[in-house]
Amino acid sequence: GAVVSQHPSRVICKSGTSVKIECRSLDFQATTMFWYRQFPKQSLMLMATSNEGSKATYEQGVEKDKFLINHASLTLSTLTVTSAHPEDSSFYICSARQFMNTEAFFGQGTRLTVV
Amino acid sequence: GDSVTQMEGPVTLSEEAFLTINCTYTATGYPSLFWYVQYPGEGLQLLLKATKADDKGSNKGFEATYRKETTSFHLEKGSVQVSDSAVYFCALSGGDDKIIFGKGTRLHILP
């Protein structure tokens, strides 16, 4: 099946710094990518949807200036957590979908810890 | 808006027991329905899917049937194994291109 690679798998950063998470579709062109946040023992909360070459659409309550999403190519999307704070610590997961395909493929997730 | 409701866990079963995890949905139109599985510390993997009413998705002994009349997509397996221990998410994808997840059901299988 299709592979989505997310990097890094774990990152620890200091409060106030920015962290970039990459999501790559390795063997298909991802016209749409999704970013989710997962709190411990809870479901995935959709943060934003991005289509290649256009601005991301953020869900209500998600700060777009804090969570910067870039989908500059058909195989790469990035999520940058700016000025991170301990409350941003979470598990972030990306998924990618090919045009006209209902199925989305997920990255392995990134565990972000802000200290 | 669209939503997914699934039974809360954790669900604890003995090996070889029969498994059912209930899932119902609310959506306009005709969504596609999915079950995803998440093993500890990992991302999500698609387990099975169904794209139209009465379709049955199946994989690794798991099955789920798209029931439009009851807006349900219950996950079943006839004989579970310890390796099936994970969190299972029911999800839908509607006309707005988003994938909406249920809260997840944690499954523990005892040897």
Side-chain angles (χ1 to χ4, degrees), chain B:
Chain B
D2 295 353
S3 65
V4 175
T5 303
Q6 62 183 102
M7 62 188 291
E8 293 192 22
V11 173
T12 302
L13 297 171
S14 297
E15 204 166 23
E16 299 184 3
F18 184 86
L19 168 71
T20 300
I21 301 178
N22 290 336
C23 171
T24 57
Y25 67 90
T26 303
T28 54
Y30 304 96
S32 294
L33 302 174
F34 308 87
W35 277 100
Y36 285 88
V37 58
Q38 185 179 32
Y39 298 100
E42 298 183 14
L44 273 70
Q45 301 173 27
L46 178 66
L47 182 60
L48 53 84
K49 69 175 182 180
T51 57
K52 61 182 188 297
D54 300 324
D55 268 3
K56 177 186 282 188
S58 62
N59 185 28
K60 300 180 180 179
F62 291 89
E63 292 183 342
T65 301
Y66 190 144
R67 301 287 188 199
K68 190 173 186 302
E69 64 276 12
T70 53
T71 62
S72 65
F73 193 55
H74 305 321
L75 182 68
E76 296 182 336
K77 186 174 185 181
S79 177
V80 292
Q81 306 299 313
V82 173
S83 57
D84 294 327
S85 299
V87 181
Y88 292 81
F89 292 92
C90 185
L92 69 80
S93 177
D96 61 0
D97 212 29
K98 299 177 186 177
I99 300 178
I100 306 299
F101 287 86
K103 292 188 175 182
T105 303
R106 187 172 298 274
L107 176 65
H108 294 293
I109 304 301
L110 304 175

